[in-house]
Each structure stands twice: as structure tokens, then as C-alpha cells.
Amino acid sequence: MTTIFETGAPQTIAQVLANKDARAALQAQLVATKAPATIVVAKLNIPGPIKANQTLSRVFTAGMAAWQNRLATADVSQTISLTGISRPGGSSLKSLLSRRPS
């Protein structure tokens, strides 16, 4: 029996760290250019060398749909959504949020 952690392209530690650095650089850019908005970052924390495959993508997409549904009822507006940042090292979402004007 194959598990969701057995299919996909294995990532080396160097690739995982490069993916982390790319996420951090984008977050730093958003902080520098979009303050005082709140940055929300979501990603899957996957054990082992397989970080992305079709099943994990569906799990991530379902979580992002739940997030978008929750935002629809919250007192915030999403000014930017960088959804679909998908790399062999995994998917991530970055959103900038601010309070809706009264």
C-alpha cells in the first residue's frame, strides 16, 4: 500500500532550505512594502523528502478554500492573495489582511 508520502519528487535538504529562504524573502518584501497590513502565511509541514504531490496539493487546496470561506465572514479585507505558490518543496499561501473600513 502506497501512502501520500511516497509519491512525488524527493527534495534534498538544500532544496528544502532554498524553498524556505524564498518564502522568507517574499515575506520580508511584503513587510517592507505593505505595512501595516497583517501577513498570513499558510503551508503544509510535510515529513520526509516528498513535499509535493497531487494528494498533498488537494489537501492544501481544501485548506485554502476553508480559509477563504472564513475570511468571507470576518471583519477583514484581503488586499492581496498570493495563492498557488507551488514548488516541488510544497505549496504556500500568503495573504495581506487589513480591517474593513467602518
Side-chain angles (χ1 to χ4, degrees), residues 27 30 37-42 67 71 78 93-97:
Q27 287 169 222
L30 292 173
T38 300
I39 301 171
V40 176
V41 178
W67 168 249
L71 277 182
Q78 182 172 270
L93 162 101
K94 298 190 178 35
S95 292
L96 293 178
L97 305 176

Side-chain angles (χ1 to χ4, degrees), residues 1-20:
M1 179 173 171
T2 302
T3 72
I4 63 172
F5 303 111
E6 295 174 2
T7 60
Q11 300 295 293
T12 65
I13 294 296
Q15 290 169 313
V16 171
L17 293 175
N19 193 28
K20 177 184 171 205

Side-chain angles (χ1 to χ4, degrees), residues 3-78:
T3 72
I4 63 172
F5 303 111
E6 295 174 2
T7 60
Q11 300 295 293
T12 65
I13 294 296
Q15 290 169 313
V16 171
L17 293 175
N19 193 28
K20 177 184 171 205
D21 290 345
R23 283 193 317 270
L26 178 55
Q27 287 169 222
Q29 177 187 5
L30 292 173
V31 167
T33 61
K34 304 296 184 181
T38 300
I39 301 171
V40 176
V41 178
K43 68 178 212 64
L44 297 177
N45 194 8
I46 306 299
I50 305 293
K51 304 295 183 190
N53 59 36
Q54 195 171 43
T55 302
L56 293 170
S57 180
R58 285 194 304 264
V59 170
F60 183 79
T61 299
M64 293 307 91
W67 168 249
Q68 294 296 329
N69 288 340
R70 179 71 176 135
L71 277 182
T73 62
D75 188 27
V76 295
S77 60
Q78 182 172 270

